[in-house]
Amino acid sequence: MPDPAASESHALLTALRQQAQHWLATRAISGDTLREALPGIWLARSGRERVPSAALYRPALGAVLQGAKQVLAGDRVIDYRAGEALLTRLPVPARGVVAAGNRSAPFIGLVIELDPPLLRDVLTQMRSAPAAREVTAFSVVSLQAAVLDCLLRLLRLADDNEDARRLLLPALQRELALRLLQGPEGAAVAALAQPPPEARRLGTALRTLQRDFRQPLDVTALAKRAGMSSSQFYRRFREATALSPLQYHKQLRLLEARRLLQQGGTSVASAAFAVGYESASQFSREYSRLFGQPPRHTVAVSRERR
C-alpha cells in the first residue's frame, strides 16, 4: 500500500519546486543564479554540473528541490539530493558542487539562514524539547512534510506584497524553527541553539579564528581559550569541522583573498599580504590548489566584468 506520509511529502516537494521555478520565471531570471527571495532565504539554480566551489558555510538549511549536490569538507564527502537538506551547524570552509543538474532539469536549491537566538527562544518554550547532542558541522536531513509545507509558504510569501512579507515572515521563520526542532534531526538543531559546554568552547575558538585569521596561527592559545589541551583541541576540532586548525586558518585566508581579488583594484601580491601571507609565491600555489585556478585568473575575470 502507498505510504500516505511519503505521498504527502512528494506532493509538497513538487509544489515547492514549481513555486521556485515560478518565482524565478516571473522575474525573468535565466541561467545559473543565486538570488535572495526573502531576507536570509536564497534560491539557487544551475543547469550544469560544476567543479567544486569553495565557500565559508554558515549555519543554514540547504534544501535540494531538484537534482543533487555534494559538499567536500576536508576528507568528508557529503551527498544529498531532492527531498533532503544539508544542515550546517558551525561556520566551516568547504567546497560545494552540483552533482546532478542539466538544462532540461536544472539543479534547484533553497538556502535558509538559521538564527541561533531565534532557535534558542523557540527551544526554551517547547514542552517536549530535544536534548542537544554533540554533532559535526554538517548533517543531512530528510525533509519532513511539516518542514516542506513551511518552506512552501515561505516561497509563496516571497511573491506576496510588501506588508505581507514584513509582517508574516517572522512568524514563518519561527514556525520553521519549531518544525526543525521537532524533526528527526532535532537534537542537531538544538545543539545549534544551545551548544553543549565543550561545543560552546570550541565555537569560541572558531570565532577567534574567523576574527584573527590574518595573524599567525597559535593552536596552543586557541586550545587554552577552549579549555582543552592542545591534543584534545586538535582532535575535537577535526571531529567537528573535518579540518585541522591549520587547514581552517589557511582556507579562511584564501577565501578572503578571493573576495578582495573579485572586488577588483587589488593586485595578487597585495591580496596575499592583506590576508597574512609573507610569500606571494606560496599564496599563489595554495590559492590554485584550493580554487583550481591561479589568483591572476580571478583578477582577469574581475576586470572583464567591470
Side-chain angles (χ1 to χ4, degrees), residues 188-202:
V189 180
L192 173 57
Q194 292 183 331
E198 190 176 84
R200 188 162 53 248
R201 295 197 302 272
L202 183 62

Side-chain angles (χ1 to χ4, degrees), residues 54 246-247 249-255 257 272 275-295:
L246 178 60
Q247 290 172 320
H249 179 251
K250 184 185 299 182
Q251 290 190 31
L252 287 179
R253 285 182 164 186
L254 293 170
L255 287 167
V275 299
Y277 276 86
E278 296 180 356
S279 165
S281 59
Q282 180 187 0
F283 166 74
S284 293
R285 286 194 303 271
E286 294 182 352
Y287 189 102
S288 300
R289 193 175 300 126
L290 180 62
F291 298 118
Q293 298 282 359

Side-chain angles (χ1 to χ4, degrees), residues 60-171:
L61 185 76
V64 177
L65 312 186
Q66 181 168 276
K69 193 170 181 184
Q70 187 177 80
V71 167
L72 313 173
D75 55 4
R76 282 195 70 193
V77 180
I78 305 156
D79 293 287
Y80 55 112
R81 58 188 56 254
E84 296 177 330
L86 182 72
L87 175 66
T88 303
R89 191 177 64 89
L90 296 170
V92 174
R95 293 177 296 153
V97 56
V98 171
N102 53 53
R103 288 186 178 181
S104 59
F107 168 86
I108 301 176
L110 180 63
V111 179
I112 302 95
E113 297 173 3
L114 297 178
D115 179 23
L118 172 62
L119 289 167
R120 187 159 49 249
D121 184 51
V122 173
L123 183 67
T124 57
Q125 296 188 51
M126 294 175 65
R127 293 182 178 178
S128 300
R133 60 175 170 82
E134 292 287 352
V135 292
T136 57
F138 299 112
S139 57
V140 176
V141 179
S142 178
L143 295 171
Q144 305 297 301
V147 172
L148 288 166
D149 179 61
C150 191
L151 295 178
L152 177 58
R153 284 181 282 124
L154 276 167
L155 264 193
R156 285 175 174 163
L157 183 63
D159 263 334
D160 213 326
N161 61 70
E162 182 181 350
D163 282 339
R165 293 195 300 270
R166 179 172 54 86
L167 295 172
L168 297 179
L169 179 58

Side-chain angles (χ1 to χ4, degrees), residues 208-287:
T208 301
L209 262 176
Q210 291 175 68
R211 185 187 67 234
D212 299 336
F213 66 85
R214 294 176 180 83
Q215 305 302 318
L217 178 64
D218 187 342
V219 175
T220 302
L222 286 172
K224 185 176 180 180
R225 180 178 288 270
M228 305 177 194
S229 67
S230 293
S231 60
Q232 181 188 15
F233 175 76
Y234 184 93
R235 184 179 66 255
R236 286 292 298 117
F237 192 102
R238 194 169 189 99
E239 288 172 353
T241 68
L243 297 169
S244 69
L246 178 60
Q247 290 172 320
Y248 191 103
H249 179 251
K250 184 185 299 182
Q251 290 190 31
L252 287 179
R253 285 182 164 186
L254 293 170
L255 287 167
E256 173 62 12
R258 182 180 64 175
R259 187 189 69 81
L260 293 173
L261 293 174
Q262 288 174 335
Q263 282 184 337
T266 303
S267 69
V268 171
S270 295
F273 299 141
V275 299
Y277 276 86
E278 296 180 356
S279 165
S281 59
Q282 180 187 0
F283 166 74
S284 293
R285 286 194 303 271
E286 294 182 352
Y287 189 102

